[in-house]
């Protein structure tokens, strides 16, 4: 009777740490896999920091469009730094343990930066809509004060949306034999499924956050481009139409790069639990690592002012 009674008394369990995993089935070649991952992290941090410096040190780029681009670059730096330490620790040193509270902190920042990125992309679509539909009042509508308020609202929205998530997880009873995560970082759907308790509230709140942030943002971005398309098609000159469309190409690509992997990852976590673990891992890495890498490349290739400013920054550094 004593063993069973002592077992019953252990009614609440939270692990001291979770065990992370790199790419399932490829553990033997993690050292080689770390090379492209290290390269992508380097490109992401270097490219986005270059954009931030270029906008800051180039007076001609002190415009709403480039302020929003700076927000996007800063968000990508934060998103990269959220996953970099644990991912490289797993791939380089096979250091797979992460403390329970550290896991919740990483999860909060990872998802917060994802919400911020979604919100910034929405703000950038609004910027393009105002610039194309009402160019004469563009500077009057998007003043520095308005941009600062938009930035603060974006941060507040992400913080308030994600703040309850760690506490909803802290209340759960976890299974002692379910401490192995599916990624090299803490992802909310992954962590909550390690619990041996009813996670209905966690699932519903997670769904609410996804729909109220990324879901609404994606719909409003589509709506803004419907209005932009209506405005552009009303322009008399074909050259003006092409020029107007060209100002949106970089943003459209950034939207696709962020939302397509994000939607794919959400669908897989909810409906693709039968898929091999390597599929979950690869989609997660594409969602979290690829956008911060591609965004600086997209804007440096498609935006001549950004490209020229970045080249000047690099030349100045070489001369220094």
């Amino acid at each position: 009777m004593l063993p069973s009674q002592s077992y019953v008394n252990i009614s609440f369990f939270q692990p001291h740490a979770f065990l992370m995993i790199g790419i399932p089935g490829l553990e033997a070649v993690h050292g080689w896999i770390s090379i492209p991952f290290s390269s992508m992290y380097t490109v992401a941090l270097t490219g986005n920091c270059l954009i931030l410096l270029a906008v800051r040190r180039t007076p001609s780029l002190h415009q709403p469009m480039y302020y929003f681009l700076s927000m996007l670059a800063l968000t990508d730096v934060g998103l990269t730094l959220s996953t970099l330490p644990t991912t490289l620790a797993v791939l380089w040193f096979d250091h797979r343990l992460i403390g329970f509270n550290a896991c919740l902190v990483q999860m909060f920042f990872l998802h917060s930066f994802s919400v911020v990125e979604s919100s910034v992309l929405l703000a950038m679509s609004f910027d393009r809509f105002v610039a194309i539909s009402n160019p004469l009042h563009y500077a009057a509508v998007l003043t520095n004060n308005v941009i600062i308020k938009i930035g603060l609202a974006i941060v507040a929205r992400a913080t308030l949306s994600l703040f309850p998530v760690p506490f909803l997880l802290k209340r759960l009873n976890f299974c002692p034999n379910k401490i192995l995560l599916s990624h090299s970082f803490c992802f909310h759907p992954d962590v909550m499924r390690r619990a041996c308790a009813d996670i209905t509230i966690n699932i519903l709140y997670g769904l609410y956050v996804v729909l109220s942030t990324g879901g609404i943002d994606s719909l409003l971005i589509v709506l803004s481009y419907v209005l932009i398309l209506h405005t552009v098609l009303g322009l008399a000159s074909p050259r003006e139409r092409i020029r107007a469309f060209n100002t949106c190409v970089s943003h459209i690509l950034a939207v696709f790069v962020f939302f397509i992997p994000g939607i794919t990852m959400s669908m897989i976590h909810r409906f693709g639990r039968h898929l091999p673990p390597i599929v979950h891992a690869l989609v997660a890495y594409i969602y979290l690592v690829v956008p911060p890498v591609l965004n600086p490349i997209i804007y440096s290739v498609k935006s001549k002012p950004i490209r020229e400013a970045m080249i000047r920054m690099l030349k100045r550094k070489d001369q220094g």
Side-chain angles (χ1 to χ4, degrees), residues 134-155:
N134 200 355
L136 295 179
H137 296 90
Y138 176 59
V141 172
L142 289 172
T143 62
N144 288 345
N145 284 336
V146 169
I147 293 170
I148 291 171
K149 289 177 181 177
I150 290 174
L152 292 174
I154 287 172
V155 173

Side-chain angles (χ1 to χ4, degrees), residues 21-23 26 29-45 80 83-84 86-92 184-185 281-290 293:
I21 192 169
I23 299 182
L26 300 177
V29 291
H30 273 178
W32 292 105
I33 294 173
S34 69
I35 296 173
F37 271 90
S38 301
S39 301
M40 286 190 291
Y41 279 131
T42 302
V43 170
L45 292 175
T80 300
T83 60
L84 183 150
T86 52
T87 299
L88 294 186
V90 170
L91 296 178
W92 280 353
S184 60
F185 47 83
L282 291 177
V283 172
Y285 286 126
I286 290 171
Y287 170 56
L288 294 170
V289 178
V290 171
V293 172

Side-chain angles (χ1 to χ4, degrees), residues 15-74:
H16 292 295
F18 286 112
L19 195 62
M20 298 177 294
I21 192 169
I23 299 182
L26 300 177
E27 289 85 357
V29 291
H30 273 178
W32 292 105
I33 294 173
S34 69
I35 296 173
F37 271 90
S38 301
S39 301
M40 286 190 291
Y41 279 131
T42 302
V43 170
L45 292 175
T46 304
N48 285 293
C49 287
L50 269 176
I51 287 179
L52 289 169
L53 288 172
V55 172
R56 182 182 177 184
R57 298 185 179 182
T58 308
S60 61
L61 297 182
H62 293 175
Q63 302 175 33
M65 175 182 177
Y66 301 110
Y67 289 146
F68 287 124
L69 177 57
S70 295
M71 291 184 195
L72 184 66
L74 189 60

Side-chain angles (χ1 to χ4, degrees), residues 190-212:
D190 189 25
V191 175
M192 73 178 179
R193 296 192 191 283
R194 306 282 84 82
C196 288
D198 184 6
I199 58 171
T200 303
I201 294 176
N202 301 73
I203 292 173
L204 291 176
Y205 189 76
L207 184 61
Y208 161 75
V209 171
V210 170
L211 294 177
S212 64

